[in-house]
Structures are given as structure tokens and as C-alpha cells.
Amino acid sequence: MINPLGNLQRKLEAQKAIQPFLSSKPFLEWTSQLSKQSLLKRANQVDLRKLNDTAPVTDSNPINTFLQNILGQFTNTSQNNTSSNGVGNAFQNLFNGVLGSLSAGGDQAKASNGSQNGSPAGSFGNFLQNITQNTNGIGNLITSMLGASGGKGGATSGMNLGNILQLLSGGNVDPSTIGNILMSFLNGAVQGTNASTACQGDFIKVIKGLQNMEAWALKFLDASAKIPTDLLNLNLNWYGSYDECYSDSTFLESFGILHNTQTPVKGQYCNTNLNLPLPPEVKGILTVALQNSGFIKAGICFPKSCSTDDLLQIVNAFLYNIPLGDNKVTAWPITCPVPAEEDTLETDTIVVVIILAIFLVIILEGTLYDVIITIRSKRNKENGKPVENGEVAENGKPIENGNTFPENSYKLRAENGNVQHIEPEKKHLQKPGIFGRLVLCFSAYTNGKKILGTSQPKGSLTAVNGIRFLSMSWVILGHTLAFVLGSTSNMLQYYNKFVNRAASEAIVNALFSVDTFFVLSGLLTSYLLLKQMKKSKGWINWGLFYFHRYWRLTPVYMIVIGMYVTIYPHLIFGPKRGKPDECLGWSWYLNNDMQFYILSPLLIVPFFFNQIVGIIVSVCFLLAATITPGVLSYVKNLPAHTIGGGPKDADRAAYFEDYYIVPYCRMGPYICGVITGYILYRTKCKCRMNIFVNLLGWAVATAMACGCLYGLHNTIRPDNPVYLSKEVTALYNGVSRTAWGAAVCWVIFACSTGNGGFINTLLSWKAFVPLSRLTYCAYLVHPLVMYVYYYNWNFPLYMTDLDFVSIEI
């Protein structure tokens, strides 16, 4: 969930890893073994003539009696009608051609010759006579398939699906008869399980509905997953149709093409993992590359009355009878997402909703109270009561003959002695009490003006606003690509095509945007703390220092966590709805940043008292933050990027948890920010430099940034990547993030000291001021918005560049 691009890269590697195995000796031996037990091979064991010869001639078999009665009626009807119309002749030829092998001699060619040399009526009569004589054999065949009970889960084990397929493909039995046999097998499989009575009854009702071509029963079949295309590209997610499973009717019903004569069974959409009997070698490759040991995720429409335990028994009873020898397909687990119509709120969800509702009421009250006070204040200023000369209105200006004069006019007339100098009695509005001021803290009117305002205090680092907003936009851009690909039908193909472009590195390497935020955090903490220490002569309330940080970030964070755990699961309805997850995966950044903040006084305070000591401490921290990730990268054989790069045998699965999200591998940019903040504090944001020095600084910073962004393109591209040694990979992992942080620090320093030129003009644009204030909430909320949008897709999207652009916009 939090490393989707890494999963995609491992899927591509799985494709490449499996290809040599498909032509290897172990795989060929395994497929040969499966072939011996395949459906058609097993079906060749069926010989209807032997079954007929060995079957006892008796009418005690109810299936035999049923076939004799049906065929007897069909014979009488056919003999009366076949000679009178062409339709009868057509049916005669059809049955002679398809079912002729059921004659006493069992020779389809003879039956065909007979139909050509003799009269159609005579040939068809011979066919009926022969098939009537073989009703016991056919009946015993079906009985032998369905009669034996036992096997895994109580399912019928005497039935062989390969026999049915062979009969259908060989033209020995009418397809409708095969369908009836298959439905009878399903009935036996259902009844042989320990599923609940209601579930068994609805399953059997669906089977009968399929036999009768009931529209509601066909909907069950149509809404369930089918074998799709693109299997060679590891398309293992077969959605089915969530909407059709829960729909009351279909278009064919509304057009009158399909009809219902029975009471429909209510359906439910369920996801099941079909675990394939793959060789251990293939399972190992898929497990490492995809965290998937070789299962197909299929969406199936089941009767609503069935629990997941019922479904496990019934589905596995059917799968157990697929003739694959010792290899069996199993279904586990089966989950049935709750549809919107049946969704209920848990107690914790109701509590969170109530808390949010209380906050909303307080915001409305605070806004209304704020507006009332503002309106009353304006009225008191504009509608002052006329008084005698020399009195003062509420705005403090003198009034003469009921007219308020401008202040400059008052001064001029006072100098001429025309106005008596009377000390004005100023009237003040009653200030709100403690409760009133507390309510005003929630005013959307006042807070909205503060957030949307573009004014900034003197001495602010204005370029920081643009960097913060653009970096958050970069984060969202990268997450858009990473999250949407999991909901596309051409996931691997588009990813492969996209990453092979050099220009894609600007999006694939959006990971560096996080390091920009570490730089900003360290820089602002250092710069502001040093200015505060100067004002207080080195004294700082450290308890308040840490509490202010906690109080500023935690309330919003707690609200988002509460919404994610309780409300978020109730916003997704469809095949992708999963179980609630209490891990806000992308909040790893806050964990790192808070730990850096706790350690920040060890870096900043020495600078205030002794510059040399501060430099030594910072250099020691910086060396540790550079050497540690390099050593870990070498020892654990990590790649250079979350999607690959580095040594050919690099442990890509360990990169994210052992390197990317751990604080001791990410502190380098933060330390660069602390040092830059100290430099800005000492220079008071004033530094004149030679134009050549300035250009050299920009050139070096640009080269370092481009090297970090585009330097790995040939190593992470899916097609023919260039592998790096462990030593080079370790060097890159050790210095790349610090180098990126240093490049960002140069941009901030140059813009803050007047050496940024048009770049400073762009980054200091006032429109970035309010947008930069929203980045923290955007960081917390944007993954939730994406997940709700993508996970409500009931069908995958075929991704193109235009689709990606439109989704991003």
C-alpha cells in the first residue's frame, strides 16, 4: 500500500524470472505429469460400449427409466412429424451426425453412411432405436458419475469432469445433456458438504435456474469472474461484475429477451483466492517478486444466504473434483465485501462522527459569533451620535455642530484656537470573555482570513512558501501514478513503457520531495530558534519548545487517524473494499521529523554559544547520517531505488523498511537545513557575492539535483538495466539524499540573500503563501482521497498518458 511502485517493479522481474523456467526440464516434467491427469486424458478412459455391455439391464435405475420415457415420447413425436416437414429432416441429420456413435455398433461413420444411403426417416428411426436400446448404458454412466459419495469435504468423488468435457468435445452426447449432467454434479457437490441448509437450498435453486435459463440465475453466472486476456502479463485479478451481482435486473430482461418464472435468489459479491498447484520454483519466484505465492483473485457472485465458511466448503468441494492428479486447486480465503445498502456503522465510527459533528457545530457558532461582533463594531464606528462642539466621537475624532472633521482639519483648527481642548471620553466595545475568545478560535471567518492572507512578518523567508507548495504538489504527483496503477488493466505494460522514458525520472524520483521537507524543517527550526535565543539571551523554555511542536501537529493528525480507521472503510463499496487498516502508512515522515526535532537542540544550541563547536557537532552528525545508510546498503545488499537499480541480486523487498523510512538513513537533509538556518541567522539574510561565484553555486546545485534525479535512469529502467556494484550502490545511498538537501539549501540561501533572481521572484509569489499553509493537511489527507476514488472503481482502467494527465488534474 505504501510502496506500490516497488511491487510493480517486482512483478516485471517475476515475468523475466519465470521465462527461463518455462523451458526448463523441471517445468516440462511437471506439465507432463499434469498432462497425464488432464481432463481430456482422463476422459479417454470412458467407453460407452463397455458401460453398456457391463451394465445390468434393469428398470430399477430411476435415471434409466427417465431416459426411456423421454426417448419413447420423442420417438413417437418424431415419427409422426419428420416426414411432413423439412425441420424434421434437419433434426434427423443433426442428431445422426452428432449422436450417431450411441448406436448399438458404436460406429459414427456407419450411422452417417446410413443417413446418406437410406431415407432420412429410416435413418432417424434407426438412431432412435439404437439410442433407446442404450438408455441403460447412458443411465449407468450418469449414475456411476453421481452415485458414489465421499471425497474431500463430502463432495462426490465418482464424478469426473474430464468425462463430461470429452463427451461434449467428441460429439458423442448432445450438449444439453452434458449441461444437465454437469448441473447434476453440482447438485451432488453442494449436497455433499456441511454447508448450512439455507445455503445449500439457494445453491441448488440457482443450479435449477441455470438449467431453466432463468434470467436471475444467469446473472449469477455472468457476474462471476471469467478467464481474461493478458494472462502472460500476470493478469491475476479477475474482478467479475460487482454491480451486476447486486442489480435487480439486467437490460436483456428489460428488453424482454430473458424472463423469470421463479422467485430469484439474492446474490452477494465475494472475492476468493484460487491457489494454483504451481511448482515450488514458480511459487518461490512469485512470492519474492509479488508477495503472491501463485493465486488468482477472482470475484464470484454467490447466494446471499451463504456464509464464508459455507462458501469455502462448497467451492473447495467443486475444485477438489477437477482431475489434476495429486495437484489440487484450493480456494482460501473468501471475503464478501458489505454492499452499501447493508453497511452499518460501528460504535467507534459513531463516536468519531459525533466528535466531528461537535467540532462542526463549534465552528458554526464561532463563525456566527465572530460575524456578529464584526458587524456591531462597524455600526458603532459608522453611526456615531451627534454631540456638542468639542466632544469626541467613538472614533476619537472631534465633532463640531454634529459633523465629524478629518484629523488633519482638527489639528489645523486646534492650532488656530477654534476648538476647545477637551480630553475625549473614548467608548470601547466590551471585549469577549475567556469563553468568547475560545469560541472565536474556531471561527471560519477569522481563520479563513489568516490562511488566505498573503501578508507575512518582516524577515520571513518568502521563497520557502513556493518550495513547500511545489514539493507537496510533487509528492501528490508521484502518489497519483503509484496508487492508480494498481487499478488498471494494463498495469505492467504501461509501467514498463512509462519508466523506460528518461523524462519519467522526474515523477519516479518524487521520493526526493520528502527530503526537501526535511531540509525545510531543519532550516526553519534552526533559524527561528536562534532568533528566539538572541531575544531571550540564550534562555529557552524547552518544555514549551517540545509541547508547541506536539500541539501544532497532533490534533489534525489524530482526526485523520480517527477518520481513516472508522469512517474511511465506509466510503468504499466494490470489489476492492478490504478490512480496516489502523496503519497510516504515509505518516512515517512525521515519525522521522519528530525524532529529528527532538535532537535538534544538540545541533543548534552549540552554534549559538560557539561557532566552532557547532560546526564540529554538525559535521559529526552529518558523517554518521552519511556513513550509516552506506554501510547498511552494503551489508544488506540493498538496491539504489525502491523500484530497483543497484546489484542484480539486490534485496528490493528490504529497501523500503530497512532504508527508506528509518530516521538514521534520512537525517542528512535535515542537518543541511540546520546549518543553512544558522548561516542565514548570522548573515541576517544579507550576503553580497560575485556574479561568477553566484553562477557557480547555481551550476553546482543544479548538477547535484539533476544527478540525483536522472542519474539512475539506466539502472532502474525495466528493459536491459545497467547493474551497479554493491560499492557504488552503497555510495549512492549514502550521499544522494544529503546531496539533494544541499542543492535545496543553496536555492533557499541564494533567494533569501538577494541572489536568486527570477527564481526568487517565482518562489516568493504571494499566491504561494496561502497554498503553503495547506500543505500539512494536504499531506495527511490526499492518500485517503486517492484510495476512495480508485477503490470505488468496479472495473480496471486501461491507462494511457492522457488518462494519467486527466486524473492528475
Side-chain angles (χ1 to χ4, degrees):
M1 178 176 179
I2 56 178
N3 186 23
L5 284 182
N7 294 334
L8 290 175
Q9 183 67 22
R10 287 194 287 272
K11 288 184 179 181
L12 288 175
E13 293 168 358
Q15 285 181 298
K16 297 178 181 179
I18 290 176
Q19 287 175 359
F21 180 79
L22 295 179
S23 59
S24 64
K25 183 177 179 180
F27 179 77
L28 294 177
E29 292 177 351
W30 178 75
T31 54
S32 177
Q33 181 65 23
L34 282 184
S35 178
K36 295 178 181 179
Q37 302 293 336
S38 66
L39 297 178
L40 296 180
K41 286 284 187 181
R42 292 285 297 274
N44 286 333
Q45 302 171 5
V46 178
D47 191 335
L48 294 177
R49 289 172 293 182
K50 288 185 178 181
L51 288 172
N52 182 48
D53 294 339
T54 58
V57 180
T58 175
D59 291 338
S60 61
N61 191 332
I63 298 180
N64 297 346
T65 304
F66 169 78
L67 288 173
Q68 290 174 354
N69 293 335
I70 293 298
L71 290 172
Q73 295 177 8
F74 186 73
T75 302
N76 296 332
T77 303
S78 300
Q79 289 176 349
N80 294 331
N81 296 331
T82 53
S83 60
S84 61
N85 57 66
V87 177
N89 296 333
F91 276 110
Q92 293 169 17
N93 294 329
L94 173 64
F95 283 113
N96 278 323
V98 177
L99 305 178
S101 62
L102 290 178
S103 62
D107 192 341
Q108 184 175 355
K110 293 181 179 179
S112 301
N113 293 334
S115 66
Q116 295 173 359
N117 299 329
S119 65
S123 176
F124 189 58
N126 293 333
F127 157 72
L128 291 176
Q129 182 180 1
N130 291 331
I131 197 173
T132 303
Q133 294 173 356
N134 281 282
T135 54
N136 290 339
I138 298 174
N140 285 317
L141 169 62
I142 300 175
T143 303
S144 67
M145 291 178 175
L146 300 179
S149 62
K152 188 175 181 179
T156 58
S157 60
M159 181 63 171
N160 193 318
L161 294 181
N163 298 344
I164 298 176
L165 292 178
Q166 177 64 23
L167 293 174
L168 181 60
S169 62
N172 296 330
V173 181
D174 178 42
S176 63
T177 304
I178 296 296
N180 291 332
I181 296 175
L182 181 59
M183 295 304 170
S184 299
F185 161 72
L186 293 175
N187 272 324
V190 171
Q191 293 175 355
T193 64
N194 295 323
S196 64
T197 304
C199 178
Q200 289 187 15
D202 283 348
F203 249 108
I204 294 174
K205 189 175 180 181
V206 171
I207 294 171
K208 292 181 179 179
L210 290 173
Q211 289 177 290
N212 298 329
M213 297 295 290
E214 293 283 331
W216 62 267
L218 293 173
K219 185 183 68 175
F220 275 83
L221 182 62
D222 191 41
S224 298
K226 313 295 189 304
I227 298 178
T229 59
D230 209 31
L231 292 178
L232 297 181
N233 287 314
L234 302 181
N235 182 11
L236 302 180
N237 293 322
W238 305 354
Y239 286 96
S241 178
Y242 178 90
D243 293 328
E244 184 180 14
C245 184
Y246 285 109
S247 64
D248 295 329
S249 63
T250 61
F251 282 110
L252 292 184
E253 292 179 68
S254 61
F255 293 155
I257 299 176
L258 296 176
H259 305 279
N260 289 321
T261 59
Q262 301 177 5
T263 304
V265 173
K266 190 173 182 60
Q268 64 173 340
Y269 181 94
C270 300
N271 290 313
T272 179
N273 289 355
L274 302 178
N275 303 284
L276 304 177
L278 299 175
E281 294 86 349
V282 175
K283 285 188 175 183
I285 294 173
L286 294 177
T287 301
V288 173
L290 309 178
Q291 289 80 51
N292 179 331
S293 59
F295 62 81
I296 295 170
K297 188 172 183 179
I300 305 177
C301 192
F302 291 116
K304 179 65 178 176
S305 58
C306 297
S307 65
T308 54
D309 291 336
D310 293 336
L311 296 176
L312 281 172
Q313 293 188 51
I314 293 175
V315 174
N316 282 301
F318 172 74
L319 295 176
Y320 181 78
N321 285 275
I322 297 178
L324 295 176
D326 296 332
N327 302 287
K328 297 297 179 184
V329 178
T330 59
W332 189 89
I334 295 179
T335 58
C336 303
V338 178
E341 298 79 9
E342 302 175 9
D343 190 40
T344 57
L345 299 181
E346 300 85 0
T347 302
D348 54 354
T349 305
I350 296 174
V351 171
V352 171
V353 171
I354 292 175
I355 293 175
L356 294 178
I358 292 173
F359 275 118
L360 179 60
V361 171
I362 295 175
I363 291 172
L364 294 176
E365 290 181 350
T367 304
L368 182 62
Y369 182 56
D370 192 6
V371 171
I372 292 174
I373 291 179
T374 302
I375 294 176
R376 183 180 298 175
S377 175
K378 289 182 178 179
R379 286 181 177 177
N380 289 334
K381 289 181 178 180
E382 295 174 356
N383 300 326
K385 190 188 244 182
V387 293
E388 297 296 329
N389 291 352
E391 292 189 4
V392 180
E394 291 187 0
N395 58 7
K397 296 180 182 180
I399 299 177
E400 184 175 332
N401 296 329
N403 298 320
T404 303
F405 292 91
E407 185 177 356
N408 55 354
S409 175
Y410 165 73
K411 289 181 179 180
L412 178 62
R413 291 161 56 242
E415 292 174 356
N416 295 333
N418 296 333
V419 179
Q420 297 179 359
H421 293 275
I422 301 175
E423 187 67 25
E425 182 181 353
K426 297 184 179 180
K427 299 179 182 179
H428 300 279
L429 289 174
Q430 185 177 1
K431 293 183 178 180
I434 297 178
F435 179 77
R437 292 197 298 271
L438 182 62
V439 172
L440 285 176
C441 292
F442 294 88
S443 171
Y445 177 72
T446 298
N447 290 319
K449 288 197 302 183
K450 291 179 179 179
I451 293 175
L452 300 178
T454 59
S455 60
Q456 289 186 282
K458 185 179 180 180
S460 298
L461 306 177
T462 56
V464 168
N465 298 315
I467 294 175
R468 183 186 286 122
F469 170 73
L470 294 177
S471 296
M472 180 51 60
S473 300
W474 196 13
V475 171
I476 296 174
L477 175 64
H479 283 169
T480 300
L481 174 66
F483 295 164
V484 73
L485 284 178
S487 300
T488 59
S489 61
N490 60 329
M491 175 174 58
L492 294 179
Q493 298 95 306
Y494 182 78
Y495 172 80
N496 187 75
K497 176 183 176 182
F498 184 84
V499 177
N500 273 315
R501 307 171 187 166
S504 68
E505 299 302 312
I507 299 178
V508 173
N509 273 316
L511 306 174
F512 282 110
S513 60
V514 180
D515 296 290
T516 301
F517 280 101
F518 285 138
V519 169
L520 296 178
S521 180
L523 184 144
L524 293 176
T525 301
S526 174
Y527 181 70
L528 297 177
L529 179 60
L530 289 171
K531 291 179 66 175
Q532 181 64 29
M533 292 180 69
K534 183 179 180 180
K535 290 181 181 180
S536 60
K537 297 181 180 180
W539 185 88
I540 293 292
N541 185 340
W542 294 110
L544 187 61
F545 173 79
Y546 290 115
F547 176 77
H548 178 265
R549 174 78 172 188
Y550 177 84
W551 183 248
R552 186 169 66 89
L553 300 179
T554 304
V556 177
Y557 185 36
M558 292 176 63
I559 291 175
V560 173
I561 291 177
M563 294 177 62
Y564 179 63
V565 174
T566 60
I567 298 177
Y568 164 74
H570 298 279
L571 301 178
I572 298 175
F573 300 99
K576 293 187 175 182
R577 178 173 181 173
K579 296 181 179 179
D581 184 7
E582 297 186 7
C583 176
L584 205 68
W586 55 97
S587 64
W588 68 267
Y589 164 81
L590 289 180
N591 304 332
N592 281 249
D593 191 58
M594 189 64 187
Q595 295 177 65
F596 299 159
Y597 188 82
I598 292 173
L599 296 175
S600 63
L602 299 179
L603 294 166
I604 300 172
V605 173
F607 275 120
F608 182 80
F609 293 103
N610 191 298
Q611 179 178 349
I612 302 298
V613 175
I615 293 175
I616 293 174
V617 172
S618 295
V619 169
C620 291
F621 268 90
L622 191 59
L623 287 175
T626 303
I627 296 174
T628 300
V631 172
L632 285 175
S633 175
Y634 184 85
V635 172
K636 295 191 175 185
N637 194 25
L638 299 177
H641 195 283
T642 183
I643 65 173
K648 186 175 182 179
D649 60 342
D651 187 0
R652 288 161 177 77
Y655 178 87
F656 194 79
E657 294 184 357
D658 293 344
Y659 172 82
Y660 186 76
I661 64 175
V662 294
Y664 43 82
C665 292
R666 304 303 298 268
M667 196 175 183
Y670 190 89
I671 299 172
C672 292
V674 169
I675 296 174
T676 305
Y678 169 72
I679 295 174
L680 292 176
Y681 162 76
R682 284 297 302 268
T683 61
K684 297 181 180 180
C685 296
K686 297 177 181 179
C687 179
R688 291 182 174 274
M689 65 179 68
N690 185 283
I691 186 172
F692 296 104
V693 175
N694 187 16
L695 291 176
L696 178 62
W698 280 104
V700 172
T702 302
M704 288 194 301
C706 291
C708 294
L709 279 182
Y710 298 98
L712 289 179
H713 173 65
N714 290 330
T715 67
I716 64 175
R717 66 184 184 186
D719 295 340
N720 301 319
V722 176
Y723 296 106
L724 303 177
S725 64
K726 292 177 62 175
E727 293 78 9
V728 174
T729 303
L731 177 64
Y732 179 85
N733 286 333
V735 303
S736 61
R737 304 197 177 279
T738 302
W740 175 267
V744 175
C745 286
W746 167 261
V747 175
I748 298 174
F749 174 78
C751 292
S752 300
T753 57
N755 298 287
F758 73 92
I759 296 179
N760 179 52
T761 303
L762 174 63
L763 296 177
S764 300
W765 186 30
K766 286 189 175 182
F768 286 142
V769 176
L771 293 174
S772 67
R773 296 187 181 120
L774 302 174
T775 53
Y776 177 59
C777 289
Y779 151 73
L780 291 176
V781 173
H782 82 272
L784 294 179
V785 177
M786 290 182 181
Y787 285 138
V788 170
Y789 178 56
Y790 299 147
Y791 285 178
N792 275 302
W793 290 359
N794 292 340
F795 293 95
L797 169 71
Y798 186 87
M799 176 64 75
T800 64
D801 291 338
L802 290 178
D803 292 313
F804 177 59
V805 172
S806 64
I807 291 173
E808 182 62 36
I809 294 176

